[in-house]
Amino acid sequence: MKDSDAPSSTLHEKQESPSTNEHTETAKDEHGVYDVGERPVNRLNAVFENPLAGVPRERLFEDVERFCKRFGLEEYVDTFKKGALISQNPAGAQDLVELSEEEKEVLRREHTHKWSQPWQLYFMASMCSLAAAVQGMDETVNNGAQAIYLKQLGIKGHKNEENLTGLIVGAPYLACAILGCWLTEPLNRYLARRGTIFLSCFIAAVASVWEGVANSWVNLFIARFVLGLGIGSKSSTVPVYAAECSPAPIRGALVMMWQMWTAFGIMMGNIMGVAFMGLKEDLSWRLMLGSTVVLPLIVCAQVYFCPESPRWLIQHNKVEKAFRAFRTLRPTDLQAARDLYYAYVGVELERRVNKGKNFFTMFAELFTIPRNARATLASWIVMFMQQFCGVNIIAYYSTTIFQDSGYTIQEALLASMGTGILNWVFALPAFFTIDTWGRRNLLLFTFPFLAITLFWAGFSFWIETGIKASKKRVAMVTTGMYLFEVFYSPGEGPVPFTYSAEAFPLHVREVGMSWATATTWCFNFIISFTWPSLRRAFQPQGAFAWYAGWCLVGWVLVLLFVPETKELTLEELDQVFSVPTWKHATYQLKNAIWHFRVWVLRQKLEPLPKFYEGAENLVW
């Protein structure tokens, strides 16, 4: 779409003063429209206000009429006018005389009955959940299989046994980090969200069969590397797709289904290890790896019946199709029109800001534009810590860790299945709290317990071996690892992908999500590749303590640099990430000290002011 085609009143942005002071000023053209054309490129999308705020009603209605005429939506023009009025001032929607009492009740129900949504929305969520389960199985089915194929394929006893083991275990994550995640942007551009999900799951199905028939460690490495090409683009696309389709009040819960059902897949992968363990060795590990072919084929069929992301359709000028998608995903036409028009004007603003940019320019903007840089830093922290909290040493190596503590291989597989079950079951609390208690609070609450449980599991290896002592060591190691899963699942489990999927503005969302997922898969490969050597050099005590220390570092990083994002629209998050980092860190330090004095020292103090109150007066 050409710039001149966008409704002029939809382009509304804070304008920087040409003076040297830090405060922002506004400048409008003759139509009362904020002029973005003269903004410095490094500050151009520093903050996007509500693009409809302050637009005169007559002008707003004229823009809506032109919009409906342009995209063949004339029969819904009255509905779009009401939707635009609601978007202009959501807090005052109940006072609009244009709305009937029935329509006002619909808007109230968004908050009083937020789970009352069309079945198609939940069908979409179920498809995303199964796509996540595909990934979980792909990750952990290798846990039990490696105990067998290391010997079958001649890796056991090889002079480079540790490196080869780490390389094969980490092959999918190496592929994700260096290639798979970076395919997200071009795949999404040409195949859209649904097409990318279909292709990534098809690749996963093919790679699963390939793994099962591999006849050498080289062949198995290549198969698992190809598997990573599907994992990378899928893990980047599915959370974004879910975020763009979901209404704000339940967006966090629906997006976090990614991690919850990844945990389900992890559990299923461990169950497959137990299910096929009793068969002939050369057959059992092949069936374990090949069992992951079923779920991706189901997703390939299911995604066909899901609507495309409305925001992707708007971005690609398919507005009429976007309205049909929103009508499928929202309870009423009024809500569909409201969300469509508000998303459209935001996309048009971003389209102007993003005109003439390519992938490399957008990638650079992740670090050069302050609003984006804060989202980049925050998503990097949560994604980095998802790996360096140590979870995947349990997901990938729990069988061998349990064997080291004193289990037989059959007992170790059963114990590993227990970690998978706990990982899934204890993701349920996050489903109910991520949109109420918030992303930050879940992380800040669980990180200290992750550190404690890792110290517990690692230090338990100091219990001496022997018949009686061995039972104590087995019990202590198992308890520490199980408790770790209990605290991981509601915190660092679901939050990172949910957070990253919503943190970036639309025009750099694919690139930003590629960055975030490449981060997690890069460090995933690092820990999966280095764990055998780390365990030998530091012993289990020191290796577990290493990751326990990182959990404490993660608590500090989240406290200072990760803003809260719960219950905000994707557009409102622009204002959250436009708050200067030093202001956020300073306030959160004061907030932490306040909580320590009140809850630990039992002092009676006045409550701190809410941070985002008066945010319009902050220096952007």
Side-chain angles (χ1 to χ4, degrees):
M1 180 182 293
K2 296 179 181 179
D3 291 348
S4 58
D5 293 330
S8 57
S9 64
T10 66
L11 302 173
H12 173 207
E13 188 188 33
K14 273 193 176 178
Q15 178 75 11
E16 296 209 16
S17 169
S19 64
T20 57
N21 65 39
E22 296 287 342
H23 295 283
T24 58
E25 301 290 343
T26 59
K28 300 183 181 180
D29 64 14
E30 66 274 15
H31 299 296
V33 182
Y34 287 97
D35 179 15
V36 299
E38 300 301 322
R39 293 288 300 278
V41 67
N42 66 328
R43 298 283 298 189
L44 192 55
N45 46 0
V47 59
F48 294 104
E49 293 179 316
N50 183 336
L52 300 176
V55 178
R57 179 167 300 199
E58 295 77 10
R59 180 71 181 181
L60 181 65
F61 286 170
E62 290 175 6
D63 288 342
V64 170
E65 290 172 358
R66 284 197 296 270
F67 165 82
C68 291
K69 183 178 180 180
R70 174 179 175 81
F71 296 107
L73 299 171
E74 291 94 334
E75 63 179 304
Y76 300 102
V77 66
D78 291 335
T79 304
F80 273 97
K81 286 180 179 179
K82 293 177 181 179
L85 287 173
I86 298 169
S87 297
Q88 189 176 48
N89 181 20
Q94 296 297 318
D95 299 324
L96 292 172
V97 297
E98 289 82 0
L99 300 183
S100 66
E101 189 56 38
E102 182 181 355
E103 290 169 331
K104 292 178 180 179
E105 175 60 21
V106 166
L107 298 179
R108 287 194 291 268
R109 283 181 62 85
E110 288 184 319
H111 302 284
T112 60
H113 298 75
K114 61 183 182 179
W115 292 102
S116 179
Q117 302 289 342
W119 68 267
Q120 293 96 328
L121 180 69
Y122 295 115
F123 182 81
M124 179 277 300
S126 69
M127 184 276 295
C128 293
S129 300
L130 282 182
V134 170
Q135 176 170 304
M137 282 195 71
D138 287 337
E139 288 187 52
T140 57
V141 75
N142 184 70
N143 191 343
Q146 68 171 296
I148 305 171
Y149 71 63
L150 291 179
K151 181 174 64 175
Q152 292 285 317
L153 298 180
I155 300 172
K156 199 78 172 178
H158 194 281
K159 62 179 181 179
N160 292 318
E161 177 183 341
E162 290 178 350
N163 290 335
L164 289 178
T165 300
L167 191 63
I168 292 174
V169 172
Y173 321 117
L174 176 64
C176 287
I178 65 175
L179 188 58
C181 293
W182 303 108
L183 292 174
T184 301
E185 196 277 334
L187 286 176
N188 275 268
R189 186 194 316 156
Y190 295 112
L191 301 180
R193 309 286 192 242
R194 293 192 311 156
T196 301
I197 294 170
F198 177 91
L199 179 61
S200 62
C201 286
F202 181 77
I203 292 173
V206 171
S208 297
V209 176
W210 190 348
E211 285 182 290
V213 299
N215 58 2
S216 68
W217 72 262
V218 176
N219 203 339
L220 181 59
F221 168 79
I222 296 172
R224 288 181 58 76
F225 189 90
V226 171
L227 177 66
L229 300 181
I231 291 177
S233 55
K234 179 167 78 273
S235 63
S236 301
T237 302
V238 174
V240 169
Y241 174 69
E244 291 178 344
C245 291
S246 303
I250 60 171
R251 187 183 68 241
L254 292 186
V255 176
M256 74 137 289
M257 297 293 281
W258 168 262
Q259 184 60 36
M260 179 178 172
W261 289 93
T262 296
F264 176 81
I266 288 172
M267 178 185 72
M268 290 299 297
N270 288 323
I271 290 175
M272 292 301 102
V274 174
F276 295 115
M277 189 62 201
L279 301 177
K280 185 179 176 181
E281 283 192 347
D282 191 50
L283 178 63
S284 61
W285 70 268
R286 296 182 185 279
L287 291 177
M288 290 179 196
L289 296 179
S291 65
T292 58
V293 71
V294 179
L295 284 184
L297 294 178
I298 295 175
V299 176
C300 286
Q302 191 176 4
V303 72
Y304 177 79
F305 299 99
C306 294
E308 186 52 79
S309 162
R311 283 184 172 86
W312 185 93
L313 292 169
I314 295 169
Q315 194 176 23
H316 290 76
N317 298 317
K318 300 179 180 181
V319 174
E320 195 272 334
K321 289 184 178 180
F323 185 49
R324 290 206 303 266
F326 265 132
R327 293 182 72 193
T328 300
L329 298 168
R330 297 294 183 268
T332 67
D333 284 354
L334 177 64
Q335 291 158 298
R338 175 201 60 190
D339 291 352
L340 172 67
Y341 192 69
Y342 191 66
Y344 170 77
V345 296
V347 168
E348 287 304 305
L349 175 58
E350 291 177 334
R351 197 191 303 276
R352 288 198 175 189
V353 169
N354 211 35
K355 184 180 178 182
K357 297 175 183 176
N358 55 31
F359 174 86
F360 300 102
T361 305
M362 290 187 287
F363 180 77
E365 286 187 356
L366 293 179
F367 307 93
T368 57
I369 293 175
R371 178 262 181 267
N372 295 348
R374 296 182 188 103
T376 301
L377 174 62
S379 63
W380 186 90
I381 289 171
V382 296
M383 285 296 203
F384 166 73
M385 286 309 308
Q386 187 177 60
Q387 301 307 318
F388 262 62
C389 71
V391 64
N392 282 328
I393 61 174
I394 296 175
Y396 304 157
Y397 292 103
S398 61
T399 301
T400 55
I401 292 172
F402 283 129
Q403 285 182 279
D404 288 346
S405 69
Y407 281 116
T408 65
I409 185 170
Q410 289 81 7
E411 292 170 338
L413 284 167
L414 286 170
S416 293
M417 185 174 69
T419 64
I421 293 172
L422 289 172
N423 192 3
W424 181 55
V425 170
F426 281 90
L428 287 172
F431 181 80
F432 298 103
T433 58
I434 196 167
D435 281 318
T436 53
W437 202 27
R439 287 70 155 149
R440 270 175 53 86
N441 286 334
L442 285 172
L443 295 178
L444 292 174
F445 175 75
T446 54
F447 264 129
F449 290 101
L450 295 182
I452 291 170
T453 54
L454 286 175
F455 280 127
W456 180 331
F459 292 171
S460 296
F461 279 89
W462 269 314
I463 298 175
E464 295 181 0
T465 57
I467 297 177
K468 292 184 178 180
S470 179
K471 290 182 178 179
K472 293 179 182 179
R473 182 165 75 171
V474 164
M476 291 292 287
V477 171
T478 304
T479 302
M481 291 173 65
Y482 279 7
L483 287 176
F484 177 90
E485 297 290 352
V486 168
F487 288 106
Y488 169 82
S489 293
E492 263 298 326
V495 169
F497 277 93
T498 302
Y499 194 94
S500 299
E502 63 193 8
F504 297 98
L506 180 62
H507 67 291
V508 292
R509 189 164 298 147
E510 287 94 345
V511 178
M513 195 61 182
S514 296
W515 158 263
T517 52
T519 296
T520 199
W521 294 122
C522 174
F523 288 104
N524 190 320
F525 170 72
I526 289 173
I527 68 169
S528 61
F529 179 75
T530 59
W531 174 255
S533 300
L534 188 70
R535 184 182 60 183
R536 175 181 53 80
F538 289 175
Q539 299 302 305
Q541 298 91 326
F544 274 96
W546 165 254
Y547 290 111
W550 276 108
C551 289
L552 299 178
V553 172
W555 188 91
V556 176
L557 294 176
V558 170
L559 175 71
L560 299 180
F561 304 117
V562 178
E564 183 56 74
T565 59
K566 72 180 180 76
E567 293 189 320
L568 298 174
T569 67
L570 297 176
E571 289 75 20
E572 288 169 338
L573 291 172
D574 282 322
Q575 297 187 34
V576 170
F577 284 104
S578 293
V579 175
T581 303
W582 71 269
K583 283 183 177 288
H584 180 269
T586 301
Y587 177 85
Q588 297 303 341
L589 277 175
K590 293 179 181 178
N591 193 32
I593 294 171
W594 184 90
H595 276 83
F596 177 80
R597 293 176 64 186
V598 170
W599 296 105
V600 178
L601 301 182
R602 313 303 297 177
Q603 297 178 357
K604 293 183 178 181
L605 301 175
E606 290 293 326
L608 291 177
K610 292 183 179 180
F611 181 55
Y612 291 106
E613 286 184 356
E616 67 276 5
N617 297 320
L618 289 172
V619 178
W620 301 103

